Amino acid sequence: MNKNVFQHGDRITLLHTFIRIVESGSLSAAALQIGASQPTISRRLQALEQLLGVKLIQRTTHSMKLTEDGERCYRHARTLIGNWQILEAEVSIMRDEPVGILRVRAPHAFGQDQLIDPLRDYLRRYPQTSIEWTLNDHSPDFIPEGIDCAIHVGNVTDSGVVAVLLAEVPRILVAAPQYTPVHSVSELAQLPWLALSNLYRNEITLHHRATGKVCSFNIAPRLSTDSLYAVRKGVLSGMGVAMVSSWIVKEDLANGELQQVLPEWQAPPLPIYLLYPYASFYPTRLRKFLDLMKEVMPGIIGTQPPERKGTS
């Protein structure tokens, strides 16, 4: 193959594809992340190998391994693509107009219900952008998954990411009417419970709104799930008591299908963070998204301004 047929833009595409193959672990995963077919990814890899005149990846039916040349190519490709992205970012900063695809991970319930309007506003403001909006309640692995940033509800345990505190979500205890009234905290441990397993499993901690008194007790959930929607449906069906984000049961409380249990006792609110990996530069589309989230998140129904400042 004639090396002169490759333009600089083509070479950037080949290097970017090679990086995605290495970091995702397979051609098929790279194809999903890039939005191309697997044969296209395979052709790009072959073209890069022919362009460089070396074998980059040894593939078998079940595994893939970088050759020594492939490892060197990967290191240099990361540097070259990083410098190219810095150039793009600097040019974008000069014109202050974000372009390209922003890949965001968000929790299922919150991302499906509460955040669609902010996404609409972002896309209206910046018509040269598009968003890949992935809903998943687990913490993202940014580089292998090709994620730019993530909306995260709950405490952050990964010290390897930037975590910007945006807002907080109040939580309340709710149950179907047959479980109320409850007159004291001591009665709560005797009731059947539903647990939101990614936030609480076997222990409940509440504080008294007026006195600040803290009370903790153990529970043995009848149902544990990582889905806030499933917890809400379970409570509506009469399965027991649950601690939920207040926004998701607002209508249920208003129409009497659910009742708040011991409203004078509340769970600590859940922090809402925007997470993204440390990097030497951040594209304009990410910085503008962060600015928008800081602006709108405290005013979204069911959230409140944070009591403490996040890091940026």
Side-chain angles (χ1 to χ4, degrees):
M1 182 177 293
N2 186 355
K3 298 181 181 181
N4 294 326
V5 303
F6 289 94
Q7 302 299 317
H8 292 296
D10 297 325
R11 294 174 181 180
I12 292 293
T13 298
L14 297 184
L15 290 174
H16 180 263
T17 300
F18 177 61
I19 291 171
R20 290 266 62 85
I21 292 170
V22 174
E23 294 181 350
S24 67
S26 69
L27 272 66
S28 58
L32 288 173
Q33 291 183 10
I34 293 173
S37 67
Q38 185 169 336
T40 297
I41 300 301
S42 180
R43 285 195 296 270
R44 290 179 186 176
L45 174 60
Q46 293 172 8
L48 182 60
E49 290 178 329
Q50 292 176 11
L51 178 65
L52 298 175
V54 295
K55 188 71 174 176
L56 299 176
I57 293 176
Q58 295 287 356
R59 285 188 290 162
T60 66
T61 304
H62 302 292
S63 65
M64 184 188 81
K65 182 179 180 181
L66 285 175
T67 64
E68 290 186 8
D69 290 321
E71 291 177 353
R72 284 193 292 271
C73 179
Y74 172 69
R75 291 195 299 269
H76 289 300
R78 285 295 305 271
T79 300
L80 288 169
I81 293 298
N83 289 336
W84 178 259
Q85 290 175 331
I86 290 172
L87 173 61
E88 288 184 317
E90 289 178 350
V91 171
S92 180
I93 290 170
M94 291 177 62
R95 66 172 182 259
D96 202 35
E97 180 64 26
V99 298
I101 301 172
L102 183 69
R103 297 174 175 86
V104 187
R105 168 79 63 80
H108 262 115
F110 201 64
Q112 186 170 326
D113 283 332
Q114 302 297 87
L115 295 178
I116 298 302
D117 286 346
L119 293 186
R120 178 201 61 203
D121 294 342
Y122 179 88
L123 294 172
R124 284 179 177 175
R125 290 186 191 185
Y126 309 116
Q128 296 185 65
T129 64
S130 58
I131 295 176
E132 288 186 5
W133 188 242
T134 303
L135 301 182
N136 190 307
D137 292 313
H138 302 288
S139 298
D141 196 353
F142 288 98
I143 293 176
E145 297 178 16
I147 303 296
D148 295 308
C149 63
I151 304 294
H152 178 82
V153 178
N155 293 322
V156 178
T157 57
D158 185 357
S159 60
V161 298
V162 182
V164 180
L165 182 62
L166 302 173
E168 293 177 337
V169 179
R171 290 188 292 172
I172 60 176
L173 302 182
V174 294
Q178 63 261 38
Y179 290 107
T180 56
V182 176
H183 300 289
S184 67
V185 177
S186 61
E187 297 178 42
L188 290 175
Q190 310 306 316
L191 297 175
W193 275 83
L194 293 81
L196 190 59
S197 56
N198 55 330
L199 295 174
Y200 67 95
R201 293 175 180 267
N202 305 113
E203 185 180 32
I204 300 294
T205 298
L206 305 172
H207 67 270
H208 196 277
R209 298 176 62 180
T211 66
K213 180 181 178 180
V214 176
C215 179
S216 297
F217 55 91
N218 293 326
I219 60 172
R222 299 297 307 280
L223 173 68
S224 296
T225 175
D226 63 355
S227 169
L228 184 57
Y229 283 132
V231 169
R232 172 182 170 269
K233 292 290 286 186
V235 176
L236 282 169
S237 71
M239 294 174 65
V241 183
M243 183 166 60
V244 298
S245 301
S246 57
W247 64 267
I248 201 168
V249 292
K250 183 180 179 181
E251 293 183 5
D252 305 317
L253 294 171
N255 62 30
E257 291 189 67
L258 293 180
Q259 294 186 11
Q260 188 171 352
V261 179
L262 295 180
E264 66 273 21
W265 289 90
Q266 287 192 336
L270 291 173
I272 306 173
Y273 290 95
L274 183 71
L275 308 180
Y276 51 92
Y278 286 100
S280 57
F281 83 100
Y282 299 106
T284 304
R285 58 184 175 271
L286 176 57
R287 292 185 291 103
K288 293 294 186 181
F289 185 75
L290 173 59
D291 290 343
L292 178 65
M293 289 294 104
K294 286 180 177 178
E295 173 189 332
V296 305
M297 188 67 76
I300 290 175
I301 294 175
T303 69
Q304 61 190 25
E307 296 180 0
R308 62 189 186 279
K309 294 182 179 179
T311 58
S312 59

